[in-house]
Amino acid sequence: MNNFGEAAGRDIAIIPKGTVINGDIDITGKLEMYGEINGNINSNDRVNICGNVTGNIKANDLYTKDSFIQGKIECVQGAAISENTVIFGDVSADSMVIDGAIQGKLDVKGCVTVGDKAILDSDIKAKSIQVSNGAAINGHCSLCYADLNMNDIFPETEKPEQTKKPKAAAKSKKND
């Protein structure tokens, strides 16, 4: 079986460069978008974006290149944010590879791979984070999904009891 025959049976919608859509897109199947969408995108499959989106995106997985996206992104599986992509909005996914720029919170149940050209102004919650030299990250990183209990490694120590000092009577000696 060849890949062409397999792909021919799948639903794929292509939005060509120069096309502007003002409204939401709900699609069962793959979307390849090279134009501009002013509205939300909802797909149960992969969404490839090489254009501009002003709106929220829900997809099985997402691939972006040379894109500008303003809105919240939710992926069931992975998200790949390639070079020359700028995202203003929160992103949630199972895994994520970033080589573009993101300003927004990242919530990734698995691994986040931050490439050497990535620029993140983001708080990151993930299972693991791999950062390449050259990447710029401004924000808090939390491995809250890791199979690791920090208290097993760094046991909590008891805080020393604060001794209460009795209040001294306010006596002052005046010129003796």
Side-chain angles (χ1 to χ4, degrees):
M1 175 184 277
N2 64 30
N3 289 336
F4 180 76
E6 188 176 312
R10 296 181 71 193
D11 294 329
I12 300 174
I14 299 173
I15 300 170
K17 189 174 184 176
T19 302
V20 177
I21 296 177
N22 293 310
D24 295 344
I25 295 177
D26 288 313
I27 183 170
T28 302
K30 186 176 177 181
L31 173 65
E32 293 190 15
M33 200 284 293
Y34 302 93
E36 181 178 335
I37 297 175
N38 297 307
N40 299 322
I41 298 173
N42 188 12
S43 172
N44 68 342
D45 205 330
R46 172 172 241 185
V47 173
N48 293 329
I49 297 178
C50 295
N52 299 331
V53 176
T54 302
N56 299 325
I57 300 171
K58 287 186 181 181
N60 188 56
D61 57 309
L62 175 71
Y63 174 80
T64 68
K65 183 178 179 191
D66 302 326
S67 304
F68 180 85
I69 300 169
Q70 188 169 358
K72 184 177 179 180
I73 298 172
E74 294 179 44
C75 297
V76 174
Q77 292 183 5
I81 312 303
S82 296
E83 286 184 55
N84 300 322
T85 294
V86 176
I87 296 174
F88 290 103
D90 298 343
V91 181
S92 65
D94 191 57
S95 64
M96 194 167 191
V97 176
I98 307 165
D99 283 310
I102 301 175
Q103 185 178 55
K105 295 177 184 172
L106 305 182
D107 189 352
V108 182
K109 303 294 188 235
C111 181
V112 174
T113 303
V114 182
D116 60 351
K117 295 189 179 7
I119 301 170
L120 301 176
D121 187 14
S122 309
D123 286 343
I124 302 170
K125 292 182 357 183
K127 183 174 184 174
S128 65
I129 301 170
Q130 178 181 348
V131 180
S132 298
N133 286 339
I137 299 176
N138 178 38
H140 177 78
C141 296
S142 170
L143 301 181
C144 61
Y145 301 119
D147 298 329
L148 176 67
N149 184 349
M150 292 300 229
N151 289 333
D152 291 343
I153 297 168
F154 304 107
E156 223 176 286
T157 57
E158 291 184 25
K159 294 180 182 177
E161 288 186 35
Q162 293 182 356
T163 56
K164 293 183 181 179
K165 295 181 181 179
K167 292 183 181 180
K171 294 182 182 178
S172 64
K173 290 187 177 182
K174 294 185 182 180
N175 296 333
D176 290 314

